Amino acid sequence: MLIIEARREPYKGYEYTSASLISRGSGEWTYGRIEVRAKLPTGKGMWPAIWMLGTHIDTVGWPQCGEIDIMENVGFDPNRIHGNIHTLAYNHVKKTNKGSSITVAKPYENFHLYAIEWFPDRIDFFVDDRKYFTFKNEGGGVDVWPYDRPMYLILNIAVGGSWGGMQGIDDSIFPQQMLIDYVRVYEPIY
């Protein structure tokens, strides 16, 4: 079991510690099914995420590199799972991002399977194999669809932040853990 733990503890001038696991340089994919079976942390201030960024972020920047949020959850709305994409045309800064959400009973008490199936023409988002969102390739070029290039996976718990901390941080909840049972990537065979 992989455990990512967020703690309330001083470190280099900050009040909290946590971690991000990043596959860049050791695992990068273009298309396929990416799935993560996880149990989430909970409480005001928690912002666990399973997401992907384009490997060329250093040369083109964000959001041009593309971002796929396979799973996001905020502690002040603990039973809602979000799936989003961010591109130059569609992103939260412009308030044009595309995404959806689904209610999941107590994702902090039980393991659930968070997944995408990524094709040249669309990205489908799932929780426990229930599809709740599809983002289609509109044919508008890289500003709309930067998803024809390799991307790497990130697993993390943010503490606070612009979304996770929107209603503050409850210091009584710590420590909090995201438990990862497994990560699987199924690459397409063409």
Side-chain angles (χ1 to χ4, degrees):
M1 185 81 55
L2 172 65
I3 299 172
I4 300 173
E5 185 168 278
R7 300 176 183 170
R8 184 171 189 258
E9 61 184 356
Y11 181 76
K12 294 187 178 183
Y14 296 96
E15 296 179 52
Y16 308 94
T17 61
S18 187
S20 294
L21 282 82
I22 301 170
S23 73
R24 188 174 187 184
S26 61
E28 300 162 352
W29 306 275
T30 307
Y31 312 131
R33 178 178 169 91
I34 293 94
E35 61 182 36
V36 179
R37 186 171 184 270
K39 183 162 74 169
L40 305 182
T42 192
K44 281 178 39 179
M46 292 293 92
W47 185 3
I50 301 166
W51 53 302
M52 301 181 81
L53 286 172
T55 58
H56 61 312
I57 189 170
D58 293 338
T59 57
V60 300
W62 184 94
Q64 291 87 334
C65 66
E67 177 178 328
I68 302 171
D69 297 321
I70 298 170
M71 183 288 304
E72 286 186 282
N73 173 263
V74 288
F76 62 81
D77 191 7
N79 296 310
R80 182 153 305 281
I81 302 300
H82 301 266
N84 291 291
I85 61 89
H86 299 281
T87 69
L88 187 59
Y90 302 126
N91 64 75
H92 71 279
V93 176
K94 290 182 177 180
K95 299 184 185 332
T96 58
N97 68 291
K98 303 274 185 168
S100 189
S101 65
I102 187 172
T103 300
V104 175
K106 300 180 181 178
Y108 44 88
E109 288 186 6
N110 302 298
F111 282 87
H112 293 278
L113 186 63
Y114 305 101
I116 60 165
E117 292 181 1
W118 171 20
F119 304 95
D121 67 335
R122 72 187 188 284
I123 304 169
D124 295 324
F125 292 72
F126 300 86
V127 174
D128 296 327
D129 291 322
R130 182 174 162 203
K131 182 166 58 169
Y132 68 97
F133 174 57
T134 297
F135 177 66
K136 294 184 179 179
N137 183 346
E138 301 169 356
V142 296
D143 290 356
V144 173
W145 185 267
Y147 303 116
D148 292 325
R149 298 179 54 102
M151 300 188 81
Y152 60 93
L153 185 64
I154 305 166
L155 309 172
N156 73 283
I157 301 174
V159 178
S162 59
W163 192 16
M166 194 178 284
Q167 294 185 15
I169 300 170
D170 179 357
D171 287 337
S172 71
I173 64 172
F174 293 93
Q176 285 290 315
Q177 296 180 336
M178 180 160 65
L179 305 178
I180 311 296
D181 183 26
Y182 61 79
V183 175
R184 294 181 180 153
V185 177
Y186 301 89
E187 296 182 279
I189 299 172
Y190 293 109

